[in-house]
Amino acid sequence: MKAITLLQPQKIVFGTGCIDTFSDDYLKLGLQRLFVLTAPPILPLIEPTLDALRHEGITIKVYHQITVEPTVSECNELIRLSYDFHADSVVGIGGGSVLDMAKLVATFTRNTQQTPEACFGTGLVSMRGLWFACLPTTAGTGSEVSPNAILLDEHDHLKKGIVSPFLIADAAYVDPCLTWSVPAKVTADTGMDALTHCIEAYTNRFAHPAVDIYALQGIRLIAAHLERAVNDGHDQEAREAMALGSLYGGLCLGPVNTAAVHALSYPLGGEFHIPHGLSNAILLPSVMKFNMPANLKRYAEVAVACGVVPGHTDEETAQRGVDFIYRLAEQVGIPDKLTALNIPQTAVPGMAKAAMQVQRLLKNNPREVTEQDALDIYNSLY
């Protein structure tokens, strides 16, 4: 069995109401100046927690204007704000973009020798930064437990990743309560993103038994509960299952990571500003269909984890799994054509070229993806 490295936050807390645990834990650290990154819809949910910290003498600065697809320049501005505030700690409370920004702000506030744009790639960050915690409000990117952060490079119009052990949070608090008010559309998009993490990790060229257990259980939970969570945001059982499935997907990202779905989705976000989860969701079934011949057994096992009845052969079972993903996407409102996202077919050649730059992820794919393959996959969505 090949060696694998599993890096996770020192502390992971999961459970309904565990935001209170974050507050209690923070007060024991002796830190005094907390920079809070969040989004406007989240503020009412977290004000009681922030007020309790203020009552204990903690100085808090709140920034809540993070965009859906944060850029390099926005990240650098937040690092400056953190430095000027003399932050000694950072917490991100929000979706994947908020959590990614919290990671980068905490990491680069005191790192005067490097900038985020100089660290695109793997293992280029030179030092750990401020103490930081992540509290996800979607289920989700799994960013709260991963060593990855994604930014939009506005010069190249392409989303790029920074991967480093130093981007792993000191603590992650996954409270399903924080997801109850998430709109149905965001629930669908982020839920399909989490499902993509699990499927791509399990069928990955670098898949490993130590990670397979997370990936398969994540697939089971999300496949069985996503539609319920979309239809009723206050379905507590469904919300808890989705939060746990997303957490499992996040635990797959560091040691195994994703593959062609994510690589092909980056141009959609970079050039057309399509939300990350939606980009993955619309591409997932088509890429699964493309990849299926390269790893029939694994895709058949994905299908069974999705709850489909096995066929007579792995090929038949795997195809039933792809069909299930097509149906699930349709049931939760994911469009099946790029035209629905106002992406003209004339943009396909440029997107294919851009996707080929994401070799960091394409190298993980079970089947080689050429530029012609990328063209074909995009064109199949018209």
Side-chain angles (χ1 to χ4, degrees):
M1 190 180 296
K2 62 187 177 185
I4 192 168
T5 301
L6 304 176
L7 298 174
Q8 300 171 9
Q10 188 175 36
K11 185 166 193 174
I12 301 174
V13 182
F14 179 91
T16 298
C18 74
I19 190 173
D20 294 334
T21 306
F22 159 71
S23 182
D24 293 341
D25 287 350
Y26 184 83
L27 291 172
K28 296 173 184 175
L29 295 172
L31 299 167
Q32 293 295 317
R33 301 184 67 82
L34 178 63
F35 192 20
V36 178
L37 303 183
T38 189
I42 310 303
L43 281 174
L45 301 178
I46 63 174
E47 275 300 341
T49 298
L50 300 184
D51 285 343
L53 291 173
R54 291 186 185 103
H55 182 73
E56 295 294 331
I58 306 301
T59 302
I60 295 175
K61 180 179 180 63
V62 178
Y63 184 91
H64 59 82
Q65 297 171 336
I66 295 174
T67 60
V68 174
E69 302 291 337
T71 65
V72 170
S73 58
E74 288 174 310
C75 184
N76 283 321
E77 174 62 14
L78 277 179
I79 292 167
R80 185 191 65 78
L81 290 175
S82 177
Y83 182 85
D84 290 347
F85 172 61
H86 302 292
D88 62 10
S89 48
V90 176
V91 62
I93 310 176
S97 295
V98 170
L99 301 187
D100 284 2
M101 289 292 262
K103 294 176 175 186
L104 295 171
V105 169
T107 299
F108 289 98
T109 293
R110 288 183 180 165
N111 187 347
T112 58
Q113 304 303 310
Q114 293 183 301
T115 60
E117 59 266 40
C119 295
F120 286 129
T122 300
L124 300 179
V125 180
S126 64
M127 60 182 284
R128 188 157 187 86
L130 306 175
W131 181 95
F132 74 99
C134 290
L135 285 76
T137 61
T138 62
T141 65
S143 181
E144 67 274 9
V145 292
S146 85
N148 308 347
I150 307 298
L151 286 176
L152 173 61
D153 185 338
E154 52 264 69
H155 299 296
D156 291 347
H157 301 289
L158 187 64
K159 292 168 68 174
K160 297 180 180 179
I162 300 172
V163 183
S164 169
F166 297 131
L167 296 186
I168 294 176
D170 292 279
Y173 299 84
V174 184
D175 186 343
C177 278
L178 295 176
T179 70
W180 287 0
S181 60
V182 174
K185 183 181 185 309
V186 178
T187 298
D189 293 351
T190 56
M192 290 296 290
D193 184 24
L195 183 59
T196 303
H197 294 157
C198 295
I199 291 174
E200 290 209 286
Y202 190 72
T203 57
N204 198 296
R205 186 175 293 175
F206 300 100
H208 193 283
V211 177
D212 288 347
I213 190 168
Y214 295 132
L216 279 177
Q217 185 61 7
I219 293 168
R220 294 185 189 106
L221 287 167
I222 297 166
H225 294 93
L226 176 56
E227 188 176 3
R228 282 174 54 183
V230 169
N231 290 337
D232 179 5
H234 291 277
D235 183 331
Q236 183 169 334
E237 182 182 30
R239 286 296 197 187
E240 290 177 339
M242 288 300 300
L244 188 55
S246 174
L247 173 63
Y248 286 148
L251 291 171
C252 297
L253 292 177
V256 173
N257 216 338
T258 55
V261 176
H262 277 69
L264 292 171
S265 79
Y266 280 6
L268 276 65
E271 185 173 353
F272 296 98
H273 308 291
I274 306 301
H276 173 70
L278 177 57
S279 299
N280 285 332
I282 197 169
L283 284 161
L284 176 60
S286 297
V287 175
M288 287 178 67
K289 184 176 180 181
F290 170 82
N291 281 340
M292 199 176 73
N295 204 343
L296 277 176
K297 185 175 186 297
R298 285 261 160 169
Y299 277 98
E301 290 164 350
V302 165
V304 172
C306 286
V308 307
V309 177
H312 297 293
T313 64
D314 283 345
E315 183 175 10
E316 185 179 351
T317 304
Q319 183 57 54
R320 290 182 181 183
V322 174
D323 294 342
F324 171 86
I325 298 298
Y326 274 115
R327 287 196 305 274
L328 178 63
E330 181 182 12
Q331 288 162 352
V332 299
I334 304 297
D336 61 356
K337 301 294 181 185
L338 290 176
T339 47
L341 306 182
N342 295 318
I343 299 177
Q345 195 163 6
T346 54
V348 165
M351 292 196 300
K353 287 184 183 300
M356 288 299 100
Q357 297 180 38
V358 195
Q359 290 300 318
R360 175 178 67 88
L361 300 181
L362 289 176
K363 66 179 176 57
N364 303 333
N365 205 60
R367 182 177 174 186
E368 181 185 1
V369 180
T370 66
E371 189 171 326
Q372 183 60 52
D373 293 327
L375 284 166
D376 293 342
I377 291 169
Y378 287 135
N379 281 323
S380 72
L381 293 169
Y382 285 91

